[in-house]
Amino acid sequence: MWLLKDDGLAETVPRLGTRFVIEGQTWEVPRSDLCIPLRAYVGRVIRERIIDGTYPAHEKIPPARLLADEFGVSLATLHSGIMPLFREGLLKRDAHGHSIAHTQAPTGGVQPGCAPHITRRGELTTEYAAWGQSKTLTQWSRDPRCLVTYACLKSRVLYQNWPLKRALSTPARTRAGAG
């Protein structure tokens, strides 16, 4: 693909990937994808590919450099995007260090492959289940069992892919020396 890029026949656009250049056509990033960090977007797309079988179980996924080129991101961004997939068990490493797709279902309250729906005011309307109840993140942040702010809860669940119960019950870290 890099030969095609050098000749101006292919282009890479962050969040959209790499494609052949088509005269008179441009790419637009869906507005729902603009609200999340690149690392979270990369992780979400790779998670969807594993779950829908694009990357078959027990097979190698494409090398990191190719994936980084496809998404138009650095290797560091790619690696930070896929690290949650290793923690969830969707990716494993073989004896040679290659990333292997795995069939284990992801854990936690986040529905794999689903971007949260955001209303005009920025309110997340997706509901997440824990302790036998289903609530939005705003509602969970007001629950007495939640030990963190809404912003921290949202970051943990949506971008860092923490299981909901852990995100709710783990206190936020404070900086040493902070009053």
Side-chain angles (χ1 to χ4, degrees):
M1 188 59 96
W2 58 271
L3 288 174
L4 295 173
K5 285 184 190 178
D6 288 346
D7 292 337
L9 300 174
E11 63 183 342
T12 299
V13 177
R15 299 182 193 265
L16 294 176
T18 303
R19 72 162 191 172
F20 294 106
V21 174
I22 301 171
E23 194 71 31
Q25 291 187 6
T26 61
W27 287 9
E28 287 193 25
V29 178
R31 302 223 21 89
S32 62
D33 289 340
L34 291 174
C35 65
I36 63 174
L38 276 174
R39 68 180 181 278
Y41 173 76
V42 168
R44 187 180 80 199
V45 170
I46 293 175
R47 176 183 290 108
E48 288 172 357
R49 290 177 182 178
I50 292 169
I51 291 170
D52 73 13
T54 302
Y55 299 146
H58 311 294
E59 296 289 328
K60 291 182 198 176
I61 66 170
R65 193 166 303 282
L66 287 177
L67 287 172
D69 283 347
E70 175 188 342
F71 289 105
V73 299
S74 68
L75 283 172
T77 300
L78 177 80
H79 286 295
S80 67
I82 65 173
M83 287 313 293
L85 303 180
F86 283 100
R87 287 193 295 271
E88 292 172 23
L90 284 174
L91 285 176
K92 301 280 185 192
R93 294 218 184 268
D94 68 5
H96 304 289
H98 298 115
S99 300
I100 306 293
H102 199 262
T103 57
Q104 179 178 339
T107 60
V110 178
Q111 293 296 323
C114 296
H117 174 71
I118 301 175
T119 64
R120 283 192 163 174
R121 294 183 185 164
E123 168 65 26
L124 294 168
T125 58
T126 304
E127 292 197 353
Y128 300 87
W131 295 299
Q133 296 178 321
S134 193
K135 301 179 183 181
T136 65
L137 289 180
T138 301
Q139 292 166 334
W140 276 118
S141 69
R142 295 179 185 137
D143 190 282
R145 295 171 283 197
C146 182
L147 303 178
V148 295
T149 64
Y150 169 78
C152 182
L153 180 63
K154 178 181 171 185
S155 174
R156 287 176 173 181
V157 173
L158 297 180
Y159 306 135
Q160 299 173 32
N161 299 310
W162 284 33
L164 181 62
K165 281 186 183 179
R166 178 178 168 219
L168 290 165
S169 59
T170 303
R173 292 184 184 164
T174 56
R175 293 186 180 160

